[in-house]
Amino acid sequence: MAGIRGRDTEPEMALRKALHALGLRFRLHARLLPGRPDLVFPKYRAVVFVHGCFWHRHQGCRYTTTPATRPEFWLAKFAANVKRDASVREALAASGWRIATVWECSLKPRDRVPSVAKVVASWLSSTDPVLEIGKIPE
């Protein structure tokens, strides 16, 4: 697990490049905000999390699997991740931040990244408090 990164992951980098290409500017991993969101848009008072389906347990996603070895450990770890994600969202919302969650599966294959970036860009200019983008089951 030492090789698992929490920032600058492949899905995050792909979304960052696409949003930057659309002319959007953002801050990365703001330490002062709960949960250190992947992207922070202070101008819009909005944050974006790029969640891996495996680690953050995207409901109904085919990438949400549980390893066969030590399932008790993994289930406890995943439950703690989900609980932490919920408390981070609550803290951000209470502070007046708008929250978007982009699931890793919505960015696969990579040709979907520009369309996801356009959805995020249009959400930023809206007043909707929450956005969640996940791949629709096939």
Side-chain angles (χ1 to χ4, degrees):
M1 284 186 13
I4 305 298
R5 295 188 311 213
R7 59 184 354 179
D8 300 335
T9 61
E10 187 178 329
E12 181 186 333
M13 295 298 290
L15 183 61
R16 280 169 35 185
K17 284 182 181 181
L19 290 171
H20 197 272
L22 292 174
L24 294 168
R25 301 300 178 253
F26 43 83
R27 301 217 184 283
L28 300 175
H29 313 287
R31 292 182 191 177
L32 299 179
L33 291 177
R36 290 190 179 185
D38 298 316
L39 306 173
V40 180
F41 296 88
K43 175 180 176 181
Y44 302 100
R45 193 108 175 121
V47 298
V48 175
F49 289 98
V50 181
H51 279 339
C53 298
F54 176 78
W55 292 105
H56 297 273
R57 310 316 284 172
H58 185 200
Q59 291 295 319
C61 180
R62 68 184 186 124
Y63 300 112
T64 305
T65 60
T66 302
T69 58
R70 299 175 50 207
E72 315 79 34
F73 164 80
W74 287 106
L75 292 175
K77 180 164 188 58
F78 295 145
N81 286 353
V82 170
K83 185 177 179 182
R84 184 181 59 246
D85 290 343
S87 67
V88 164
R89 281 193 304 272
E90 285 178 22
L92 286 167
S95 299
W97 288 91
R98 298 168 48 223
I99 305 155
T101 303
V102 178
W103 291 97
E104 172 186 22
C105 62
S106 69
L107 301 171
K108 291 182 180 182
R110 292 292 174 229
D111 61 350
R112 291 186 181 158
V113 174
S115 62
V116 170
K118 287 178 186 173
V119 171
V120 171
S122 67
W123 171 76
L124 286 171
S125 60
S126 75
T127 59
D128 296 338
V130 177
L131 173 70
E132 185 167 346
I133 303 173
K135 185 176 177 184
I136 299 170
E138 296 172 355

